[in-house]
Amino acid sequence: MQLPALLADVLPRVAVVAAAIAVGLTLANLAVAFGAVRYVAGLARPLTGPANLPDEVGTAILATTASPTAGYGMLKEYRDAGVLDDRATLVAVTINTFFGFVQHIFTFYAPVLIPILGLKVGLMYVGARAAVSLAITLAGVAAGALVLSERNVGSPADADVDLPGGDDRPRREAVRDALAKTAGKLRTLVPRLAVVYALVVYLTTRYDVTEYTAFARPITDAVGLPSASVPAVATFAVDTTTGAIFVAPQIPGTFTSRQAVATMLVGGIVSFAVSTFKRSIPFQYGIWGARFGSKVIAVNVAAKVAFIGAAVVLLLA
């Protein structure tokens, strides 16, 4: 791939992601500067309390509903400040799962996928994905209750993190400081994103990363799906919308409603390899760096594969 073509592909992607990060971090910093944590954190106490996480972390968890970037950005701030160690951060990231899913209901599932699949199958599929996400979140709460203690968390009051309502600065100064924090983070994150995205685009252009879909057949055979599910799974691995368009005309007929939903869920499992490579690695590495970002990706993928696999078994039982 020639350098001009590579730059033409990479730069718009980096610009879009950088803009999203800038908005998310700015919102997070403004929320902290104006004391939103004090009012919002209590709403998440039923999750943070049993999970042995500080109440303030609940704001980052709930912020994920509006902007995953904002939620992850706030968690990074707490980890960098020593409020959360690596284990506590992984628990918080796991609890984030359902709240990140909620955002997609309004931006993708409701306006795009349900009209393609029809109301019945669309709601079944979205309901299954919602149940999986909620189960992962509850598993994160249970994990926090079992493995976290005071050794894994610190007090936000003792860390270098702005606390809600903790000062009497003029509004203009608070906004200026929030924007300065955002600019500082962008100077660190955007170059890293640009490098990772360039590598991703180069490798996906040079190599066919979807060849692994041949492994879908043993999976579909094992769970008792019809042979037509194999190309459906392969299509889902490349693009979720295209996969839904492929499956929809074959309901009823080739697929029952349950088989269609199970096929799409299996497609979701297989697609993690592509989506992780194309999206999760650049995003998570951009937020956390390679070492901890790899841990976040591993936990996310393992939880989703395990719980989606369980949902497929229940659907076809």
Side-chain angles (χ1 to χ4, degrees):
M1 189 176 191
Q2 298 297 318
L3 181 60
L6 180 64
L7 293 176
D9 199 352
V10 169
L11 291 179
R13 299 188 190 197
V14 173
V16 170
V17 174
I21 290 175
V23 171
L25 288 178
T26 300
L27 290 175
N29 289 327
L30 288 173
V32 171
F34 290 110
V37 175
R38 180 176 56 191
Y39 302 104
V40 177
L43 298 176
R45 190 169 290 116
L47 297 176
T48 57
N52 294 320
L53 293 171
D55 289 346
E56 288 79 4
V57 175
T59 302
I61 292 171
L62 291 179
T64 307
T65 303
S67 169
T69 303
Y72 274 91
M74 295 177 77
L75 288 178
K76 175 178 170 56
E77 292 285 341
Y78 282 121
R79 177 174 177 266
D80 289 347
V83 177
L84 303 174
D85 69 0
D86 284 3
R87 180 180 294 182
T89 303
L90 289 173
V91 168
V93 166
T94 304
I95 295 174
N96 258 351
T97 302
F98 178 73
F99 298 93
F101 172 82
V102 169
Q103 184 201 44
H104 294 300
I105 292 177
F106 301 101
T107 59
F108 176 66
Y109 289 111
V112 178
L113 216 60
I114 290 178
I116 292 173
L117 295 172
L119 188 62
K120 179 184 176 181
V121 176
L123 289 178
M124 286 179 63
Y125 178 69
V126 175
R129 292 300 301 263
V132 166
S133 298
L134 181 59
I136 294 173
T137 288
L138 295 177
V141 174
L146 292 173
V147 305
L148 297 185
S149 67
E150 293 180 355
R151 295 192 301 271
N152 305 109
V153 300
S155 171
D158 297 330
D160 186 20
V161 176
D162 289 333
L163 295 177
D167 56 51
D168 297 320
R169 291 179 299 167
R171 179 171 299 182
R172 183 174 297 179
E173 182 181 344
V175 172
R176 185 168 59 248
D177 287 351
L179 293 176
K181 286 185 176 182
T182 298
K185 291 296 181 183
L186 288 176
R187 283 193 293 269
T188 302
L189 297 179
V190 172
R192 184 188 298 164
L193 284 171
V195 171
V196 175
Y197 267 116
L199 289 174
V200 167
V201 171
Y202 175 77
L203 292 174
T204 52
T205 301
R206 188 175 180 86
Y207 303 101
D208 181 10
V209 298
T210 65
E211 290 180 353
Y212 72 93
T213 55
F215 293 102
R217 183 173 295 277
I219 299 174
T220 58
D221 289 345
V223 297
L225 289 171
S227 58
S229 63
V230 175
V233 167
T235 306
F236 249 86
V238 178
D239 179 70
T240 301
T241 304
T242 305
I245 293 172
F246 181 90
V247 170
Q250 303 182 68
I251 313 168
T254 304
F255 299 104
T256 65
S257 296
R258 285 176 173 265
Q259 288 175 335
V261 173
T263 296
M264 291 186 286
L265 290 175
V266 172
I269 293 176
V270 177
S271 72
F272 287 149
V274 174
S275 64
T276 296
F277 191 71
K278 287 186 174 181
R279 291 185 290 275
S280 294
I281 289 177
F283 178 76
Q284 301 293 359
Y285 280 23
I287 294 291
W288 307 105
R291 184 186 69 83
F292 191 70
S294 297
K295 292 182 180 180
V296 171
I297 291 169
V299 169
N300 282 339
V301 171
K304 289 177 181 177
V305 169
F307 281 92
I308 289 178
V312 170
V313 172
L314 290 174
L315 272 170
L316 299 177

